[in-house]
Amino acid sequence: MADFVKLKEAMGDLEEDIVVEIIDEVVETGEGAQAAVDACSEGMATVGDRFEAGEYFVSDLIYAGEIMTDAVQKLSPLLAGEADSGTSAKLILATVKDDLHDIGKNIVKAFFEASGFQVVDLGIDVPPEKIVETAKEQGIKIICLSGVLTLALDTMKATIDAFTAAGMRDDVKILIGGNPVSAEACEAMKADAWAHSPSDSIKICKEWAG
Ligand code: B12
């Protein structure tokens, strides 16, 4: 099994060569894709802490994002193998307006697709109107909102309010996810559910899909 402690440290230290080496080992052996994602995510938390402490700069966040994006792309087919399928429902997934973080969203997407969901991925920085319009045009009933910045909570709320304003709130189920999301935030903005882990989000959406 690959050395996940080393992987976490290498991600935090932005040692791209070591990250690539360990990820390639996971891909070759076909074992530990989920553990590798978890280790990289923990390393990203170190990157965030060092940024907050003034040791890393925005350029380091960008570099960390590139390293992790490459890792997730390589691991996605394996994550698909580790998830279980059983639905074909369609859902919308989007990082809400003003938030440009998409690594977590892309991991959740890989899990959804592996479970059989058809994912309409609207990308990053997606305004509420675009999400409402897409749901209306394509008759999609499950909406998954991603956000990593604290201010994403405001845009998630604005998105939910936009569904209410369009008279569609009772027609859709809305799941919010990402770092700042919590039970309190979910209740305050009147989302239907919240989750951090991709596997929880699949359980919830499968229930909604019937
Ligand atoms: C990489 C990174 C960036 C990259 C992102 C690249 C990309 N393609 O995504 C770039 C350089 C763009 C960036 C920019 C900025 N960033 Co930044 N960034 C990060 C960093 C280091 C890692 C984020 C990450 O990818 N984590 C790994 C993934 C896997 O974790 P995740 O996103 O949480 O996703 C998991 C779960 O949350 C969940 N999930 C995610 N989405 C969803 C959706 C659903 C539906 C569900 C169910 C679950 C779910 O599943 C995922 C897998 O487990 C974090 C530090 C941290 N602690 O997170 C800072 C961090 C998020 N950034 C921060 C800041 C301040 C910024 C900037 C403002 C910096 C600046 N001065 O310009 C800008 C803002 C740009 C913007 N408008 O969005 C702060 C946010 C502070 C706050 N509380 O709001 C953090 C926390 C760093 C810090 N500690 O200060 N950043």
Side-chain angles (χ1 to χ4, degrees):
M1 197 58 98
D3 187 341
F4 297 115
V5 174
K6 192 171 168 193
L7 177 58
K8 173 190 156 180
E9 285 169 3
M11 188 68 236
D13 294 341
L14 303 176
E15 295 277 7
E16 183 172 11
D17 291 351
I18 300 177
V19 173
V20 169
E21 196 182 295
I22 299 176
I23 296 297
D24 286 349
E25 188 188 331
V26 171
V27 171
E28 244 167 64
T29 60
E31 275 173 32
Q34 180 58 61
V37 169
D38 293 345
C40 286
S41 298
E42 286 169 30
M44 289 300 248
T46 307
V47 173
D49 292 345
R50 290 181 183 170
F51 173 72
E52 234 172 307
E55 289 167 42
Y56 280 177
F57 303 97
V58 173
S59 55
D60 297 309
L61 292 186
I62 295 171
Y63 186 39
E66 286 169 0
I67 300 174
M68 176 101 187
T69 299
D70 287 349
V72 171
Q73 267 169 10
K74 284 186 186 170
L75 294 169
S76 285
L78 288 179
L79 291 174
E82 288 181 12
D84 61 317
S85 55
T87 181
S88 59
K90 206 168 180 183
L91 59 80
I92 290 175
L93 180 61
T95 299
V96 294
K97 189 171 176 327
D98 297 329
D99 197 328
L100 307 179
H101 296 79
D102 66 356
I103 296 169
K105 170 183 76 61
N106 293 339
I107 293 174
V108 174
K109 181 182 176 184
F111 274 85
F112 274 134
E113 289 185 334
S115 301
F117 285 95
Q118 294 177 58
V119 180
V120 177
D121 181 359
L122 296 180
I124 55 173
D125 192 17
V126 186
E129 314 78 62
K130 168 98 180 155
I131 300 174
V132 172
E133 252 168 52
T134 308
K136 197 174 192 173
E137 279 167 15
Q138 302 194 32
I140 299 174
K141 308 281 182 212
I142 300 177
I143 317 295
C144 300
L145 304 178
S146 175
V148 173
L149 298 176
T150 308
L151 65 79
L153 294 177
D154 295 339
T155 344
M156 285 179 175
K157 181 177 184 310
T159 306
I160 294 171
D161 291 347
F163 274 101
T164 307
M168 291 167 66
R169 183 62 188 93
D170 293 338
D171 304 334
V172 294
K173 290 283 193 187
I174 302 179
L175 170 70
I176 55 169
N179 236 358
V181 157
S182 63
E184 293 74 40
C186 179
E187 203 184 324
M189 69 177 80
K190 298 190 168 56
D192 294 293
W194 67 282
H196 282 155
S197 92
S199 42
D200 284 349
S201 59
I202 284 164
K203 252 184 249 157
I204 293 165
C205 292
K206 272 192 177 168
E207 255 182 53
W208 288 345

